[in-house]
Amino acid sequence: MANDRGYFALALQRILEDGVALSVLKNDVATEDRGYFNMLMMTTLRQLAFIRESVLPRYIKKKIPHKERILTYLLYLGGAELLFMQTPAHAVINLSAEAAKRLAGQFGANFVNAVLRRVDKEKAALCALQNGHYFSRNFRQILKQDYAPEAVKAMEKYAGVEAALDITLKNTADNPLADGVVLPTGSIRLPANTKVSAIPEYAAGKWWVQDAAAALAVKGLGDVRGLKALDLCAAPGGKTAQLLAGGAEVTAVDISESRLATLKENIQRLDLADKLAIVQADALEFTPTSLFDIVLLDAPCSATGTFRRHPEIIHTRTVDDVRRQAALQKELIRKAAQLVTPGGKLVYATCSLAKAEGEVVIRNFIAEQPEFAIVPASIRGTEHSVTKDGFIRILPHTFVTGENTVLSGADGFFIAYLQRKI
Ligand SMILES: C[S@@+](CC[C@H](N)C(=O)[O-])C[C@H]1O[C@@H](n2cnc3c(N)ncnc32)[C@H](O)[C@@H]1O
């Protein structure tokens, strides 16, 4: 697909109305346009609540008819680009008006042109109004159920900045990434905007991309050498790779064929496929012939903790999504528990910020399954993130604090370690 604003506006519409992931749409864009497309979309999605609620209402007094709503998407893109990117204003305005003409006729072109001209004229004053407004009303509502206003505000700050790139090493003694900062938890952190393809030794399979918080679930298991592990929702395989690199024998289950194909590719690149069995199945129906020393349930969830890397989540998730995922998680953990050998461990993790998908799932599970007990989490570098129940609860702003932004922030994550009584 060429560098076409009409296409970009339709892509934004699909993200916001149909819940299509940005990472999926990126594949339809020509390689040479992909970097620009990604930056425009990420900037627009980060700034969308501000543009929609604080910028455009100044210039649009009448409701745009539903059948011409593509104009609104053109204005979201154009507004974000004029205010927060370096593209020359005349290019933004002309290309947006041309696309509007194609999609909604001369009226559309005039309208988009007039609004964007005013945004450009008042750019300095408008930019000064943006003082940390990134979350949508729905997203705020999810967080308000569990966190005080100050905590929500602190998390919101992280929605406005690009996340650093975190790497997990296959062998910690063999670090090819001289530029990286070694975090207290062992992940290597590279500056935001680092090109993955530019990092050495990718093809040699010495590392993989994994958020520092996501890397904790397996780290907290300690020595897994020789153990039989089941990764029940495994793709794309970040945690499977950690288990294999640690010396476990792993069965990786996932419902998604395409995501399992990515897992397979990743594990082959890392040369870790020797002790791996891959099974495509619904975890709720998976019936192995024997039990496992470790069962890892990295459950499907609202993914609200990943809003820094996936800003569309800020605009697409609702309290209902959290409720729906929590109901599935309840079923999945019951199933996972049946597959743990006596004395074995069950690890439950989600990248959700909602306690309904974390703390509440585990408390309810323990109440109905007395043969499982909580093992308090103990992972170097996360001492201040252990809750009074012994869970790990990482919030984007509480991971590694400090003045250095490179060292700060991680995906929101919840982890619980449970042990089956003998
Ligand atoms: C949070 S992601 C897992 C990430 C993975 N553990 C990693 O570290 O790379 C959740 C996964 O659950 C899978 N999934 C969703 N519902 C499932 C089900 N009923 N059975 C098995 N897998 C499922 C999804 O396809 C998705 O790959």
Side-chain angles (χ1 to χ4, degrees), residues 231-239 254-256 259 281-283 298-300 332:
D231 191 350
L232 209 42
C233 291
K239 298 177 190 69
D254 203 282
I255 201 165
S256 160
R259 287 173 68 92
D282 181 337
D298 186 19
L332 284 167

Side-chain angles (χ1 to χ4, degrees), residues 201-418:
E201 308 275 21
Y202 178 79
K206 294 197 171 178
W207 52 266
W208 61 96
V209 173
Q210 186 176 39
D211 183 85
L216 297 173
V218 172
K219 284 185 187 179
L221 283 167
D223 190 356
V224 297
R225 239 172 318 168
L227 298 181
K228 230 180 117 195
L230 172 64
D231 191 350
L232 209 42
C233 291
K239 298 177 190 69
T240 305
Q242 283 178 288
L243 288 164
L244 290 164
E249 183 191 312
V250 184
T251 300
V253 174
D254 203 282
I255 201 165
S256 160
E257 189 180 351
S258 62
R259 287 173 68 92
L260 276 177
T262 309
L263 175 145
K264 196 169 172 188
E265 221 175 272
N266 286 338
I267 301 295
Q268 277 170 350
R269 175 180 67 83
L270 295 164
D271 195 17
L272 285 170
D274 275 6
K275 292 188 174 154
L276 174 67
I278 297 176
V279 181
Q280 190 204 340
D282 181 337
L284 294 171
E285 281 157 23
F286 177 60
T287 42
T289 47
S290 58
L291 302 180
F292 293 85
D293 304 310
I294 294 168
V295 176
L296 168 61
L297 175 59
D298 186 19
C301 70
S302 63
T304 38
T306 68
F307 68 80
R308 301 171 318 143
R309 300 184 196 282
H310 305 288
E312 65 262 43
I313 280 171
I314 292 170
H315 309 288
T316 53
R317 296 302 190 266
T318 64
V319 169
D320 272 354
D321 292 324
V322 169
R323 214 172 286 139
R324 209 170 321 113
Q325 296 292 351
L328 173 61
Q329 290 151 3
K330 183 177 166 183
E331 297 302 311
L332 284 167
I333 195 167
R334 280 181 178 155
K335 173 70 190 192
Q338 294 166 12
L339 307 178
V340 182
T341 199
K345 282 194 180 149
L346 171 57
V347 190
Y348 175 84
T350 61
C351 57
S352 169
L353 293 165
K355 294 189 181 174
E357 298 180 75
E359 289 85 339
V360 177
V361 172
I362 298 303
R363 276 194 220 113
N364 289 343
F365 171 75
I366 290 288
E368 71 172 37
Q369 306 251 7
E371 76 272 31
F372 280 85
I374 296 167
V375 182
S378 166
I379 307 171
R380 197 174 147 253
T382 63
E383 295 74 8
H384 60 286
S385 298
V386 178
T387 70
K388 65 176 178 10
D389 290 317
F391 306 142
I392 298 249
R393 166 54 78 191
I394 303 281
L395 300 174
H397 64 295
T398 62
F399 179 58
V400 181
T401 51
E403 291 308 301
N404 186 347
T405 52
V406 171
L407 278 179
S408 298
D411 283 351
F413 230 87
F414 172 82
I415 307 164
Y417 299 94
L418 310 172

Side-chain angles (χ1 to χ4, degrees), residues 6-321:
Y7 173 77
F8 293 176
L10 286 165
L12 186 60
Q13 181 175 4
R14 289 188 66 201
I15 292 170
L16 295 174
E17 292 185 14
D18 307 332
V20 180
L22 172 57
S23 52
V24 171
L25 293 170
K26 219 162 40 180
N27 295 333
D28 293 342
V29 177
T31 321
E32 63 272 23
D33 295 332
R34 219 170 269 173
Y36 168 70
F37 172 77
N38 194 48
M39 195 195 291
L40 177 59
M41 287 292 169
M42 292 292 277
T43 305
T44 305
L45 290 164
R46 285 202 178 102
Q47 299 293 344
L48 184 65
F50 171 65
I51 305 262
R52 180 164 54 198
E53 286 154 39
S54 304
V55 176
L56 295 182
R58 291 167 174 262
Y59 311 112
I60 303 173
K61 297 301 172 201
K62 276 208 243 154
K63 201 168 165 11
I64 297 173
H66 185 72
K67 66 177 177 23
E68 277 157 9
R69 65 194 188 286
I70 194 66
L71 299 175
T72 318
Y73 293 102
L74 280 167
L75 290 174
Y76 292 156
L77 293 169
E81 192 165 12
L82 285 172
L83 298 180
F84 301 104
M85 286 171 67
Q86 309 301 324
T87 321
H90 63 86
V92 176
I93 297 169
N94 292 345
L95 291 172
S96 303
E98 273 168 31
K101 188 169 181 177
R102 270 198 316 280
L103 294 164
Q106 191 59 47
F107 156 79
N110 294 347
F111 173 68
V112 164
N113 184 51
V115 173
L116 290 183
R117 275 189 193 287
R118 292 197 60 191
V119 171
D120 182 45
K121 201 162 153 219
E122 294 169 27
K123 178 173 171 164
L126 290 171
C127 285
L129 292 176
Q130 174 50 303
N131 57 357
H133 175 192
Y134 303 109
F135 286 169
S136 69
R137 203 166 300 159
N138 283 340
F139 199 73
R140 209 178 286 284
Q141 199 190 351
I142 295 173
L143 299 183
K144 263 168 57 181
Q145 305 201 321
D146 294 319
Y147 302 101
E150 309 78 64
V152 175
K153 194 91 211 128
M155 287 187 235
E156 190 166 12
K157 253 174 64 181
Y158 282 84
V161 291
E162 194 153 339
L165 181 73
D166 294 339
I167 298 287
T168 298
L169 296 177
K170 182 170 148 185
N171 175 355
T172 46
D174 181 17
N175 180 4
L177 312 172
D179 301 341
V181 177
V182 184
L183 297 180
T185 56
S187 290
I188 311 291
R189 180 155 287 188
L190 297 159
N193 282 326
T194 303
K195 268 205 157 84
V196 174
S197 53
I199 309 173
E201 308 275 21
Y202 178 79
K206 294 197 171 178
W207 52 266
W208 61 96
V209 173
Q210 186 176 39
D211 183 85
L216 297 173
V218 172
K219 284 185 187 179
L221 283 167
D223 190 356
V224 297
R225 239 172 318 168
L227 298 181
K228 230 180 117 195
L230 172 64
D231 191 350
L232 209 42
C233 291
K239 298 177 190 69
T240 305
Q242 283 178 288
L243 288 164
L244 290 164
E249 183 191 312
V250 184
T251 300
V253 174
D254 203 282
I255 201 165
S256 160
E257 189 180 351
S258 62
R259 287 173 68 92
L260 276 177
T262 309
L263 175 145
K264 196 169 172 188
E265 221 175 272
N266 286 338
I267 301 295
Q268 277 170 350
R269 175 180 67 83
L270 295 164
D271 195 17
L272 285 170
D274 275 6
K275 292 188 174 154
L276 174 67
I278 297 176
V279 181
Q280 190 204 340
D282 181 337
L284 294 171
E285 281 157 23
F286 177 60
T287 42
T289 47
S290 58
L291 302 180
F292 293 85
D293 304 310
I294 294 168
V295 176
L296 168 61
L297 175 59
D298 186 19
C301 70
S302 63
T304 38
T306 68
F307 68 80
R308 301 171 318 143
R309 300 184 196 282
H310 305 288
E312 65 262 43
I313 280 171
I314 292 170
H315 309 288
T316 53
R317 296 302 190 266
T318 64
V319 169
D320 272 354
D321 292 324

